[in-house]
Amino acid sequence: MSSSERQRPLLVDWSSRLLAGCAVLAASMVGASVFAWRHFSAESAYWSIRHGADQVRAALVYNLVVAALTVLVAVVLAVVVRRPLRWVRPAAWCVLGFLGLALFLGLNAGADPAGSTAGPNADSDSRAYYDLLPHWYPTLNAIQGVAVLVLVVAVFVMLLRSSVADFYRPASTEQDPKWSSFVAAQQKRIAGDET
């Protein structure tokens, strides 16, 4: 049986689907970050004079870059993971591990990563984060980021399963001599029956 004829395990199909879902969620994160960037640009001139908006800008740019990278990587992996190639699983593990770490760091970036509202006693960094970005952005980004992180971890675990390992193992190229002699004998018998 050639590698193109192999039956794809259910976990590989689910991994591909979850990676596609991860790409869609990350694309929505990109959209929200672009919208938040537009809001940030409009407000940053005033706030940068009083409080300095560098930390907020850095957190927003980091989230935007990681979300865009997640879209690209998830789309590529969703296609590649369906191929029975030996290098796919280790490459997917490394890439997904890196993405998981980057997403985790993004969730913890910024002055106020949890998205709580800045109260009257908030420090200037929390106040700047709250005022420079749309009020819904930190919470939405956190929810989307956690959802993408959960999908990345789920795919990572699915690709660790031993039932998936056989799909990525190369097919044997050596012929079994007993099988070859059996096939030859059957072909002679069939040829003898037809004449």
Side-chain angles (χ1 to χ4, degrees):
M1 183 182 287
S2 71
S3 61
S4 61
E5 297 172 356
R6 281 192 215 175
Q7 182 66 25
R8 192 177 310 123
L10 185 61
L11 287 177
V12 172
D13 283 335
W14 272 105
S15 296
S16 179
R17 290 179 186 140
L18 289 179
L19 284 166
C22 184
V24 170
L25 267 173
S28 69
M29 287 176 70
V30 169
S33 294
V34 167
F35 189 82
W37 181 261
R38 296 179 82 197
H39 184 272
F40 172 80
S41 297
E43 298 288 332
S44 63
Y46 168 73
W47 278 101
S48 62
I49 295 169
R50 290 188 57 200
H51 299 287
D54 292 339
Q55 186 177 6
V56 177
R57 179 183 295 113
L60 185 58
V61 168
Y62 181 85
N63 287 336
L64 182 60
V65 168
V66 168
L69 183 66
T70 302
V71 171
L72 294 174
V73 168
V75 167
V76 169
L77 281 178
V79 173
V80 172
V81 80
R82 299 173 68 85
R83 305 250 181 215
L85 302 171
R86 181 187 315 184
W87 56 267
V88 169
R89 267 185 7 142
W93 292 334
C94 293
V95 170
L96 290 172
F98 172 76
L99 269 183
L101 179 63
L103 287 165
F104 180 76
L105 292 175
L107 289 172
N108 294 309
D112 190 17
S116 62
T117 58
N121 298 328
D123 62 354
S124 63
D125 287 341
S126 295
R127 168 68 67 190
Y129 195 83
Y130 181 76
D131 288 336
L132 285 171
L133 297 175
H135 300 283
W136 50 264
Y137 176 74
T139 303
L140 179 66
N141 186 59
I143 291 170
Q144 290 173 324
V146 167
V148 171
L149 186 59
V150 166
L151 290 178
V152 165
V153 169
V155 172
F156 188 90
V157 170
M158 284 182 185
L159 291 178
L160 281 175
R161 301 292 303 239
S162 60
S163 61
V164 174
D166 290 336
F167 178 69
Y168 294 109
R169 195 169 288 131
S172 176
T173 58
E174 293 183 20
Q175 293 282 339
D176 183 7
K178 291 180 182 177
W179 177 254
S180 297
S181 64
F182 172 75
V183 170
Q186 290 298 322
Q187 288 174 345
K188 286 182 185 177
R189 186 182 63 79
I190 293 171
D193 289 345
E194 292 177 355
T195 56

